[in-house]
Amino acid sequence: MALGNHNTITEFILLGLSADPHVQALLFLLFQVIYLLSVTGNLMMLLVIKTDSHLHTPMYFFLRHLSFLDLCYSSITVTKLLENLLSQKKTISVGGCLAQDFFLFVTGGTEGCLLSVMSYDHYVAICHSLHYGQIMTNWPCNSMVGESWGLSFLDSFINILQAMSLDFCEDQSITQYSCELPSLFLLSCSDISTSFTVLLCSSLVHRFGTCLLIMFSYALIASTILSISSSSGRGKAFSTCSSHLTAILLFYCSDFLRYLMPTSGSPLELIMSVQYSVVTPLVNPLIYSLRNNKVKAAV
């Protein structure tokens, strides 16, 4: 892939979380532990779901893909963060920055789509339980996952294609610890109106679009749960959705706050970025393992 007209600037400086060497050493240990736990947790979920025949159902099929996405997302961001915390030269090439952006779009967009697909799966399981086996067969499950990946790759390609035509000025400093398109827009000398419009439209489709699908699914689920006469039946239906709802809140709350607030390098912005890209991939396998009796039994 050609890099357009990036003649003046060939690399960026990632300012990261702190310039203090002692703080950087502590942060390295902290994020190394978080990353190792995240990798271990998500690999464990992949292995358990793959090997236990009781978990070969649509819900765990989607959960396996979610664990793979979390594993990829944390590897894309945290590995570069760990490298920069150890290195005195905290740089990333323009090509490396755009590549990181591309894969962040792919994994983040696919996870949003997958969470909406999982909401639909819960809707069918609760609202159409008698026909669940007929509706959620292998073909529609594979199709929904494939479409989630395909839409995210297309969205990523369009956004990065626009970013590749940008020229960058003398300022090379990115206030984040990873490359994100809003941060690159601040460093560009080119007209960013087209790139910004493309990013805004794709964000509306991927974030608000999938969020609306989730809200619609859970509105129907809530209506069905409230119509259940027995309290034990309502409790069982709610417990089916509780882990997924927790994962949705973690993903969307940090995602919306991160991308709706101005790019300024403020402490709150950095906290939201850490929550979105570091903490969420760690917490998701814990949510689905500790709050799921089948997974705990399989482990």
Side-chain angles (χ1 to χ4, degrees), residues 262-280:
T263 304
S264 60
S266 64
L268 181 59
E269 183 185 352
L270 289 172
I271 290 170
M272 288 299 103
S273 293
V274 171
Q275 160 69 33
Y276 179 67
S277 60
V278 180
V279 177
T280 300

Side-chain angles (χ1 to χ4, degrees), residues 237-256:
F238 177 75
S239 65
T240 303
C241 304
S242 58
S243 297
H244 185 234
L245 281 171
T246 306
I248 288 171
L249 289 173
L250 279 172
F251 179 82
Y252 278 100
C253 287
S254 56
D255 185 32
F256 281 136

